[in-house]
Amino acid sequence: MAEPSEWQKRITGEWHGRPSLFDATGTWCGYEDIRRSSVFENGVTTYYMDGGLTGGGPLAGQFRLGAPFAFGVEDADDDRVYTGPDFYGTGQPYGSFVDSHYYGPGWQVDLNTWNQILPDGQTQVYSSVLYQGWSVVGCFNGVYTRSTDHDDNPATQARVTEFLAAETRRGPVPHIMPTKRSGAYAGSCELWGADQKPRGTVDVRIALEPVDLLHTRRTLTWSGALNRSATASARRDGNRLFHEGPDAWGNAVAFGRAAFGSLHFTDVTKVKYREFMIDAEPGMSAGKRLAVVYEIFQGNVLDSVLHGLLEWEDAA
């Protein structure tokens, strides 16, 4: 390939983060200190990950390695094929979001990784749900920031240090929506077809009307290139979440700030989603910036992918 794909152009530079590791129950276990980069050279793309694991509990022996990751990528705008030796599989880009499914021999897990670059082009929301067969065994997730001159620029080094300190505070924080304030998370999102072609923009709004500390009337509205509104009673039980009708049914599990769930509407449409509370801090509060990804299915067939950034608005 003479030129890198559009996704490859989006991820040039080095990405700095401190994703948290959670076990299968959603219990926080530690941090992965990571610097990630991908290099396109002479028509070949190679992906590098360098860092280490801090903590990890019983999972430390499985997810701490003695050498950095490196693996080849067959880079294209339709499929990114990971050719080993450290990861084997494939990823599909939908604009500024990639859904990847692959196997890591060193970690001995199958991974479903969602990488979402936010509209600023400098922030990446990352998660890898880890599987043994069909069973979840853990999850890595966190937020990354990009640099192009980290090794030489003291100002960039200071910015990255401050960012990593914030991720260290926020990493273990549970995903909890506002429990005593009515309002909505709202924003304009990109809609991509299953054919990986853009379909336009959708205004997404998640309106919340708290009933008590564990129950909220939640209305999800899409308007624009896709139109739908569904209200459900949302219930939280620890890090487990439930949507209990009348317009949508389903559940979710949260690993820290990220909630992974499914929604079944009352027709043939269903949704696989991730809602990531970017700026949630320790304490009795909720974050104000929510990164969302919705994979929308008609029956069992992927129809479209909707993703973007929502901001909190208090009710009038």
Side-chain angles (χ1 to χ4, degrees), residues 152-177:
D152 305 314
N153 188 332
T156 300
Q157 293 167 8
R159 175 180 65 82
V160 170
T161 296
E162 182 179 1
F163 177 87
L164 294 178
E167 278 299 285
T168 299
R169 291 194 313 272
R170 296 168 177 168
V173 175
H175 176 99
I176 298 177
M177 294 286 197

Side-chain angles (χ1 to χ4, degrees), residues 214-216 232-237 240-244:
L214 299 177
H215 297 81
T216 298
S233 175
R235 175 170 60 91
R236 181 174 61 85
D237 179 6
R240 301 186 304 161
L241 311 169
F242 301 88
H243 306 280
E244 299 178 326

Side-chain angles (χ1 to χ4, degrees), residues 27-297:
T27 300
W28 181 84
C29 295
Y31 297 104
E32 186 185 24
D33 299 285
I34 287 292
R35 294 173 67 173
R36 292 194 285 130
S37 61
S38 53
V39 177
F40 180 84
E41 192 172 41
N42 299 321
V44 176
T45 299
T46 306
Y47 207 103
Y48 299 97
M49 293 169 54
D50 194 3
L53 187 67
T54 300
L59 298 176
Q62 182 171 357
F63 294 108
R64 186 182 186 279
L65 298 180
F69 287 114
F71 56 98
V73 180
E74 292 181 6
D75 175 42
D77 285 315
D78 53 358
D79 296 304
R80 291 170 59 81
V81 181
Y82 311 125
T83 60
D86 293 335
F87 292 107
Y88 294 91
T90 184
Q92 281 66 48
Y94 303 91
S96 55
F97 165 72
V98 166
D99 183 352
S100 300
H101 298 253
Y102 53 98
Y103 184 74
W107 282 346
Q108 302 178 83
V109 289
D110 200 69
L111 300 92
N112 184 190
T113 296
W114 284 14
N115 283 319
Q116 177 187 11
I117 297 177
L118 298 186
D120 65 6
Q122 306 302 312
T123 307
Q124 186 174 153
V125 180
Y126 154 86
S127 66
S128 283
V129 182
L130 315 171
Y131 294 87
Q132 175 71 37
W134 287 19
S135 297
V136 172
V137 297
C139 178
F140 281 110
N141 67 56
V143 182
Y144 285 84
T145 189
R146 184 196 348 224
S147 76
T148 56
D149 58 356
H150 181 268
D151 290 341
D152 305 314
N153 188 332
T156 300
Q157 293 167 8
R159 175 180 65 82
V160 170
T161 296
E162 182 179 1
F163 177 87
L164 294 178
E167 278 299 285
T168 299
R169 291 194 313 272
R170 296 168 177 168
V173 175
H175 176 99
I176 298 177
M177 294 286 197
T179 55
K180 289 187 176 181
R181 297 170 65 184
S182 294
Y185 291 96
S188 180
C189 296
E190 302 175 18
L191 180 67
W192 293 75
D195 59 1
Q196 298 168 286
K197 298 185 184 306
R199 291 188 180 174
T201 59
V202 176
D203 289 330
V204 175
R205 186 176 182 84
I206 304 173
L208 305 177
E209 300 175 55
V211 176
D212 57 36
L213 296 178
L214 299 177
H215 297 81
T216 298
R217 178 179 168 88
R218 170 178 161 136
T219 301
L220 175 64
T221 303
W222 300 334
S223 56
L226 184 66
N227 291 284
R228 179 179 289 269
S229 183
T231 297
S233 175
R235 175 170 60 91
R236 181 174 61 85
D237 179 6
N239 68 321
R240 301 186 304 161
L241 311 169
F242 301 88
H243 306 280
E244 299 178 326
D247 301 326
W249 300 82
N251 61 15
V253 63
F255 297 97
R257 293 170 289 168
F260 301 83
S262 63
L263 278 177
H264 300 263
F265 298 117
T266 53
D267 55 13
V268 74
T269 305
K270 61 186 180 184
V271 174
K272 175 182 178 182
Y273 72 83
R274 182 188 73 189
E275 295 176 350
F276 197 113
M277 196 78 70
I278 294 173
D279 57 348
E281 294 276 0
M284 300 180 74
S285 64
K288 294 187 176 181
R289 303 174 71 226
L290 191 70
V292 298
V293 179
Y294 303 103
E295 292 192 337
I296 303 164
F297 294 79

